[in-house]
Amino acid sequence: MTSSELKQAARYALKDNFFQKMLLMIVPLLLAIFSSRATNSSSITLQHQLNDANIDFSGNPDTFSNIDWGLVLSIAIPIIVFAIVTSFLVMIIITVFKTASMFNYLEIFRGEKEEINLSSDILRTFKDNSFWKIVSLTVVTQLIMYLLLFIPIVGWAIAIYLGLSWSQATYVLYDKLQNNNYKGVWDILNTSSQMMTGYKFKYFVFNLTFIGWYILGALFFGLPQIWTMPYTEMSMVAFYEARIEERL
């Protein structure tokens, strides 16, 4: 299937009762916007505390030698650590809610879900046996990605490669849970990697077709994604379905 055919399939899956299908994505989207604002707030707080301590990095570089770096670290480290831990926890919560949305989208795309009950569908991963499996998958993948970010060039290249290889993990998790075939995080990641062998570049190019919408969302603080995110995410479901049916 071509990119346009995948998008057409996504539009078809969303065309009826779009508003409720859109609301399935509203919680992770709002949490992501909140997380972005919280990160900005932490940097502002750090700057204010440095200013209150009469520490200024905007002056002459020669004045750097007079800065009390012990004081700087005592101020900065707690704020930075708090921001990192909070960001990581919020990211896990966002992923849990987004995974619930993607599970629902898979069922909608496959024609298995016609009626939407927002309260139960949004919270479904807290009620079934998938919550801790999603958390485990998220923690493992994100920790690996974070560690790779500290290795310039080579680590970044590996992170991109793994990101593409593991891109189908959420959908693989759903199918393995449905088939009572869950064997752990690494089995999910290995299955996704095997699926994406020979398809990473196609998936990368497919994502690039949405670049305009991603930029639009970034420019307007994520608000346009209220309308665009259901379409882009359902399109990714269409990619997965086409891949497992060998129609790519």
Side-chain angles (χ1 to χ4, degrees):
M1 296 179 70
T2 65
S3 293
S4 60
E5 289 172 332
L6 292 173
K7 291 178 180 179
Q8 184 178 2
R11 286 194 294 269
Y12 181 81
L14 290 168
K15 71 173 184 177
D16 295 327
N17 202 11
F18 173 77
F19 184 71
Q20 280 197 308
K21 293 172 183 176
M22 176 191 73
L23 289 178
L24 289 171
M25 281 286 177
I26 197 68
V27 173
L29 178 58
L30 292 179
L31 286 173
I33 294 174
F34 165 78
S35 177
S36 177
R37 296 289 181 86
T39 301
N40 292 336
S41 176
S42 295
S43 64
I44 293 172
T45 300
L46 176 58
Q47 185 60 53
H48 284 167
Q49 293 206 19
L50 291 175
N51 289 339
D52 291 342
N54 296 317
I55 298 172
D56 185 10
F57 294 101
S58 61
N60 191 309
D62 294 336
T63 63
F64 283 6
S65 59
N66 298 321
I67 292 176
D68 184 347
W69 291 102
L71 177 61
V72 171
L73 293 176
S74 68
I75 294 173
I77 289 177
I79 295 175
I80 292 172
V81 170
F82 176 80
I84 291 174
V85 172
T86 302
S87 176
F88 192 77
L89 292 176
V90 171
M91 180 269 299
I92 291 175
I93 295 171
I94 290 172
T95 303
V96 169
F97 279 106
K98 186 175 180 181
T99 300
S101 302
M102 299 313 298
F103 285 2
N104 288 314
Y105 273 28
L106 268 168
E107 293 170 354
I108 291 169
F109 189 89
R110 293 171 174 175
E112 299 170 357
K113 178 184 284 292
E114 295 181 358
E115 297 295 326
I116 296 175
N117 185 323
L118 287 175
S119 59
S120 62
D121 287 340
I122 288 174
L123 298 172
R124 63 182 289 170
T125 51
F126 294 92
K127 300 175 182 178
D128 57 25
N129 66 340
S130 64
F131 176 80
W132 288 111
K133 295 177 177 65
I134 295 168
V135 171
S136 299
L137 181 63
T138 304
V139 169
V140 169
T141 54
Q142 293 303 313
L143 281 178
I144 291 173
M145 293 299 179
Y146 279 142
L147 291 174
L148 288 172
L149 289 178
F150 292 98
I151 307 174
I153 312 301
V154 174
W156 302 343
I158 295 173
I160 293 172
Y161 178 85
L162 291 179
L164 294 171
S165 297
W166 297 344
S167 61
Q168 309 304 299
T170 297
Y171 318 119
V172 171
L173 174 62
Y174 173 85
D175 279 335
K176 285 187 177 290
L177 289 175
Q178 291 299 108
N179 297 325
N180 294 317
N181 192 32
Y182 178 80
K183 298 176 182 177
V185 171
W186 293 111
D187 178 59
I188 299 293
L189 297 178
N190 289 334
T191 303
S192 177
S193 296
Q194 291 169 8
M195 286 183 60
M196 292 303 288
T197 300
Y199 293 89
K200 297 181 189 68
F201 184 72
K202 187 177 182 68
Y203 182 77
F204 175 74
V205 172
F206 183 53
N207 273 269
L208 284 181
T209 63
F210 298 98
I211 190 67
W213 287 13
Y214 297 148
I215 293 173
L216 183 67
L219 290 175
F220 293 94
F221 309 104
L223 295 178
Q225 289 184 283
I226 294 175
W227 293 273
T228 63
M229 193 174 180
Y231 174 51
T232 56
E233 295 301 332
M234 189 65 84
S235 297
M236 299 307 154
V237 170
F239 183 97
Y240 173 75
E241 287 295 291
R243 175 66 192 91
I244 62 177
E245 294 174 5
E246 299 291 345
R247 293 189 292 116
L248 282 178

